Structures are given as structure tokens and as C-alpha cells.
Amino acid sequence: GAGVSQSPSNKVTEKGKDVELRCDPISGHTALYWYRQSLGQGLEFLIYFQGNSAPDKSGLPSDRFSAERTGGSVSTLTIQRTQQEDSAVYLCASRSTSWYEQFFGPGTRLTVL
Amino acid sequence: GDSVTQMEGPVTLSEEAFLTINCTYTATGYPSLFWYVQYPGEGLQLLLKATKADDKGSNKGFEATYRKETTSFHLEKGSVQVSDSAVYFCALISGAGSYQLTFGKGTKLSVIP
């Protein structure tokens, strides 16, 4: 079946612009995660959605970052007023409620000039 | 907080050599432990897992044993192949809640013929 998909695969933007990154989880997976992979920090948790519960936003690095998940499926991560330190690969993962295994998408590589 | 420490890379081995990548962790309670692999140009994939002390996870010739007394989960393979060249991440999930993954920094393995 289809895996987790993310778009765009690459995004180049100018400092100060807003960007939106999209994630389509595996159908039926109720849990969705965003992570960031950068050279300096490795892989970091950003935010978690589970069904209709309030998201766990504890990993978001600043209030310029936000995310939403519409209809319990597609999720969008928004970064406002991008900074050069936001350059990273943003990974999305989903899992079912019955097990811990998270399935990762291919990521979106964000470059802020 | 939770943390994972794994050996720094890069690691370069000849084909058929023995591989060990060390991983130690700090966590509250009794975490579940994972090794993820990222092949060049691909997304993160679960390689193996162990959910309780003394469990051995295994897959594709790789093994790792959950050692509670030494808080370790070292990855081993008896005979590496060129196709094993990838970045390997040790990770954990502790307790309940969001079941977010806490990752080590990753170890890049290159296997030469």
C-alpha cells in the first residue's frame, strides 16, 4: 500500500518568507509526527497529533512554527518568517494506534537563503 | 530528559567485516529501543526493535540486545555488505503519551568492496 508522502520534496525560500510543508500519512493511521533533521541537531521531535486530541507541541522550537491536521489525515507544517537556521529536512511519520512503529515519509528539504 | 548516545562516525569497513555500532541511553521508566536506517536518498526505515530487557531484535542479519544493566542497545552484524552502507540511528520511546522517538545523532557506515 501507499506509504507516507510529503510535498514538496525540496523547497528553497528567502529569509523572512513563510513556507508550508505537507504530509499525507498512511491511510488509517491516527497518529502523526513531525521531526526535523539538521546537521547540527540531528533528528528532533517537533509536534504530534493523535486523533481529535489536542496536539503535543512540546518540540516546536519557536512560535514561528505551527502545524495543523485537517480531518484527521493530511497535515501541514507552517514556518513563518523563515530564518537560515530553519534549513533542514522536515520528516513526517505516522503510526497506527496499536503499535509503536512509526513509518516515515521521504522528507522535505528546506533551504533558507 | 531522555537521551540517546551513539558512536560518532563515519565508520568505514571492508565487505564481510564485523560491525558494531555502540548505543547507550538515558530514560525514565522502561523504554522501547529501536534502530532505524536511512539508505542514501531514502527515508528512515525501522531496522529492528526490542521492547523489554534482554530482548534481542534482529533483521537482515543485524542484531541488538536490550541491556538494562548497562543501558545499552549496540547494533551488530557479522558480515557487512556494500548494500549496508547507510546512516544508522539508535532511538527510544519511553513511557506513555505521544510515544515520540528520541534519536541518537546517527552513524554513517560505508562498506567498501
Side-chain angles (χ1 to χ4, degrees):
Chain A
V4 178
S5 61
Q6 293 186 244
S7 60
S9 55
N10 281 284
K11 176 72 176 179
V12 180
T13 190
E14 294 179 348
K15 178 181 172 180
K17 301 281 190 184
D18 297 352
V19 295
E20 285 190 352
L21 312 180
R22 176 187 168 106
C23 171
D24 279 275
I26 293 172
S27 177
H29 280 191
T30 57
L32 186 147
Y33 300 79
W34 284 96
Y35 294 87
R36 178 168 71 173
Q37 185 175 19
S38 57
L39 280 176
Q41 302 299 322
L43 271 156
E44 306 169 279
F45 164 76
L46 296 177
I47 189 168
Y48 161 72
F49 296 90
Q50 171 62 60
N52 295 322
S53 302
D56 176 355
K57 304 179 182 180
S58 60
L60 294 178
S62 79
D63 58 8
R64 295 186 296 104
F65 288 72
S66 63
E68 63 177 20
R69 189 178 185 192
T70 52
S73 180
V74 171
S75 177
T76 302
L77 177 69
T78 301
I79 308 173
Q80 296 178 309
R81 305 181 302 282
T82 52
Q83 304 295 311
Q84 288 183 331
E85 61 263 29
D86 299 335
S87 296
V89 177
Y90 289 82
L91 296 171
C92 177
S94 70
R95 67 169 176 84
S96 69
T97 51
S98 59
W99 178 233
Y100 298 160
E101 181 175 356
Q102 296 178 28
F103 295 84
F104 283 81
T108 294
R109 181 175 296 278
L110 175 65
T111 302
V112 182
L113 302 177
Chain B
D2 299 341
S3 67
V4 175
T5 302
Q6 62 182 102
M7 62 187 287
E8 299 280 331
V11 174
T12 302
L13 294 174
S14 298
E15 207 165 21
E16 299 184 3
F18 184 85
L19 169 71
T20 300
I21 300 177
N22 290 336
C23 171
T24 57
Y25 66 89
T26 303
T28 53
Y30 301 97
S32 294
L33 303 175
F34 305 84
W35 278 98
Y36 275 81
V37 59
Q38 190 172 35
Y39 297 103
E42 298 185 17
L44 274 170
Q45 303 173 25
L46 179 64
L47 179 61
L48 54 83
K49 63 184 183 292
T51 58
K52 61 183 187 296
D54 299 325
D55 267 3
K56 178 184 284 189
S58 61
N59 186 24
K60 299 182 179 181
F62 291 88
E63 293 183 338
T65 301
Y66 189 142
R67 300 288 188 199
K68 183 170 177 290
E69 63 275 13
T70 54
T71 63
S72 65
F73 192 55
H74 304 322
L75 182 68
E76 296 182 335
K77 186 174 185 182
S79 175
V80 293
Q81 306 300 311
V82 171
S83 57
D84 295 327
S85 298
V87 182
Y88 293 82
F89 295 89
C90 186
L92 67 82
I93 292 173
S94 70
S98 66
Y99 299 109
Q100 70 204 58
L101 286 158
T102 299
F103 287 94
K105 297 273 189 196
T107 302
K108 183 176 181 179
L109 170 67
S110 297
V111 180
I112 54 178

